[in-house]
Each structure stands twice: as C-alpha cells, then as structure tokens.
Amino acid sequence: MEQYRAFEWEPKDFKLETTTIWSFKDRGKWATHSGEYRGNWSPYIPRNLIIRYSKEDDIVLDPFLGSGTTLIETKLLKRKGIGVDINPEAINIARKKLAFNINPEYEPIIYNLDARNLYALPDNSVDLICAHPPYANIIKYSKGIKGDLSQMNIAEFLQEIFL
Ligand SMILES: C[S@@+](CC[C@H](N)C(=O)[O-])C[C@H]1O[C@@H](n2cnc3c(N)ncnc32)[C@H](O)[C@@H]1O
C-alpha cells in the first residue's frame, strides 16, 4: 500500500540550536524540501541561521542557491530572499521548489550570476548571507560551466573562494 506522510509547512517541535555543534533528528522534510539535489544542506541549517541572525523583512542572500533550500526558508520565515547560482539548471530546480503560495509577498529574487561578482546587488544592501559553496571539486555541479567553482582543482578553488 502506498505510504503518505502528513504534509507539514513547518518543522514540528523546532528548537533553535544553542551550541556550536548542531545535530538534527532527521534531515528535514517540511514544505517542499527534499534531499535530491546532490550535497544540498539540511533545511535546519538555514532555518537556524535565519531565525538567529535576522528579523522579519530583512534581506537574506544565498550566493550558492543550488536547489533553493535557503530561499524556501526565507519565504516561509518572511524574509526577503535573494538567490544566486551560476548554473541555470539549479535555478530551474529552485524555482519549482519555490512554487508554493505561502507568503507570496516574500517571493525571492533569483539571479543567474557568478558569486564572485555580485554586480547586481548594491553595496550594503544585504542583512545576512547564508553561503553553502561547493565542496571543492568533490561533487561537480555542472558539465563545465565557466566559473563553476566545483570544476576547479583544489589550488584554484582555494584561490577563488578565499581571495
Ligand atoms: C553545495 S551546492 C548548494 C546547495 C544548496 N545549499 C541547497 O541546499 O540546494 C553549491 C552550489 O554552488 C553553485 N556554484 C558553483 N560555482 C558557483 C559560482 N561561481 N557562483 C555561484 N554559484 C556557484 C553550484 O551550481 C551549486 O548549485
């Protein structure tokens, strides 16, 4: 028999992390979150960052958007989300996951850009950055998009991410 889970828009019994070591009872399946995008982060991570370090209506940037985990949380938590990814395929995935009608006035803005050059954003226009960059070249996120940090060897990756 097919199994159905009750659909939840918020995590049940959510408690803000209080120490520097975070541990979650599961990866988090509320709203449209799922673990399909390789190496995506548990939604508990951006939820903790956003609640602890920003307030309603603040502008929250994720410069490595991926499947949109952070922006799902900004929309649910009434922050103005901005997402950037160099890969248009990631942006398509994120847009599908953001196609829900909770808090539609907090629909995020998404740019297909290189995080190393955020010319579209004015200086001092962001309140919080939640960044989950590629794991150096361990997971390749594209088939050779120029500027994709996951295509670079370790020396190039370190140079580009830290300088
Ligand atoms: C670890 S994934 C982010 C996953 C995301 N936190 C999620 O939950 O889906 C890293 C992302 O960085 C993107 N990326 C790689 N190089 C980039 C660059 N130079 N600028 C912007 N995005 C980049 C990849 O396309 C990939 O989607």
Side-chain angles (χ1 to χ4, degrees):
M1 194 174 38
E2 206 170 343
Q3 297 282 318
Y4 291 97
R5 70 179 160 100
F7 197 82
E8 306 281 353
W9 285 102
E10 304 280 335
K12 263 196 180 141
D13 308 323
F14 177 76
K15 288 195 188 73
L16 206 54
E17 295 296 310
T18 54
T19 68
T20 51
I21 299 175
W22 293 2
S23 169
F24 314 118
K25 57 182 183 310
D26 51 47
R27 85 172 310 280
K29 275 186 169 178
W30 66 92
T32 54
H33 292 300
S34 70
E36 285 150 38
Y37 193 75
R38 265 193 91 195
N40 69 351
W41 60 6
S42 159
Y44 285 109
I45 297 172
R47 175 162 285 250
N48 269 277
L49 295 173
I50 290 164
I51 293 175
R52 185 169 292 285
Y53 296 113
S54 71
K55 55 186 186 315
E56 207 169 299
D57 282 331
D58 271 359
I59 299 182
V60 178
L61 166 70
D62 184 342
F64 301 103
L65 174 66
S67 58
T69 312
T70 305
L71 294 191
I72 294 169
E73 288 303 302
T74 57
K75 191 170 169 183
L76 292 172
L77 294 166
K78 298 187 173 176
R79 271 61 166 178
K80 295 171 184 157
I82 302 175
V84 167
D85 204 289
I86 203 159
N87 188 344
E89 281 179 32
I91 288 176
N92 286 341
I93 293 167
R95 282 198 200 286
K96 283 186 192 138
K97 288 188 165 286
L98 284 158
F100 57 82
N101 277 329
I102 311 260
N103 304 331
E105 69 278 28
Y106 289 91
E107 203 56 57
I109 299 168
I110 297 178
Y111 296 101
N112 182 205
L113 281 180
D114 188 327
R116 296 170 301 171
N117 184 2
L118 296 176
Y119 58 85
L121 306 184
D123 288 348
N124 300 315
S125 62
V126 168
D127 297 298
L128 173 68
I129 299 175
C130 299
H132 178 199
Y135 304 83
N137 59 5
I138 295 171
I139 297 173
K140 307 266 191 223
Y141 281 101
S142 74
K143 294 198 175 104
I145 292 178
K146 196 166 175 285
D148 175 358
L149 297 169
S150 71
Q151 301 292 321
M152 300 179 183
N153 65 37
I154 301 287
E156 290 166 335
F157 177 84
L158 292 175
Q159 167 97 4
E160 295 307 311
I161 204 103
F162 290 118
L163 295 184

